[in-house]
Amino acid sequence: KENLYLGTNQGLFFKNINGSDAFKLMRGTQGQVWSLRLIDDTLFCGHNSGTFIIKESEAIKITNVQGTWDIAKMEKFPGLLLQGNYDGLYILEKSKNSWELRNKLEGFENSSRYFETYQNKIFVNHEYNGVFEMDVDSSFKVARNLKIDTTIKGANSGI
C-alpha cells in the first residue's frame, strides 16, 4: 500500500514508498526478521521473537512462539495458515477479523524453515536431517506416519 518494508537482522524497517525519508525501525521488532508474507491482504512478519501482523507503521504480535521462519496459506483450508518455527509447525486460525495461534502440530519437533503442503501431507526440509514427510489429521492437530528421506541433505538443500 503506502509503505515499503525491509526485514533485517536488526528488525523491521519501513518508509513511505513515495517519500524521501529514511527507513525507520518499527517499534517492538528489534531482532531477526525471517520473513514477510502478504496473505489475503494481511502482512505477516516472521521474527525471532514470534509472529507479527503489520498494519502500516504498527507491529501487532500475535504469537510469542520463538523463531517464526515462515507462514503459508493452505489452499484447501482458507481459515488456517501453517507456520514453521524453530521447534516445529504451528497452525494459525482466523477468528473474526484477526489471526491467532490455534495449536502446535503434535508429533513433530524439528525446525521447519522450509515447508510445503500437498493435500493433507506436509513436507519439511531440514538441511542437516533431510526431508520429512508426514500425514496430518483432518483437524491439523497431529502429525502421523512421519517418514524421513536422508538422501538430500546439506547446507544448501531446499524444498
Side-chain angles (χ1 to χ4, degrees), residues 4 6 19 24 33 52 67 69 76 96 116 118 133 135 158:
L4 177 63
L6 181 63
K24 295 180 229 166
V33 173
F52 295 88
W69 292 115
K76 293 190 176 196
K96 298 180 185 170
E116 292 291 334
Y118 178 72
E133 175 186 341
D135 295 322

Side-chain angles (χ1 to χ4, degrees), residues 98-113:
S98 185
W99 289 93
E100 57 188 37
L101 180 66
R102 190 187 80 175
N103 63 281
K104 181 175 184 191
L105 194 62
E106 293 177 32
F108 188 73
E109 305 293 326
N110 290 280
S111 182
S112 301
R113 186 172 188 176

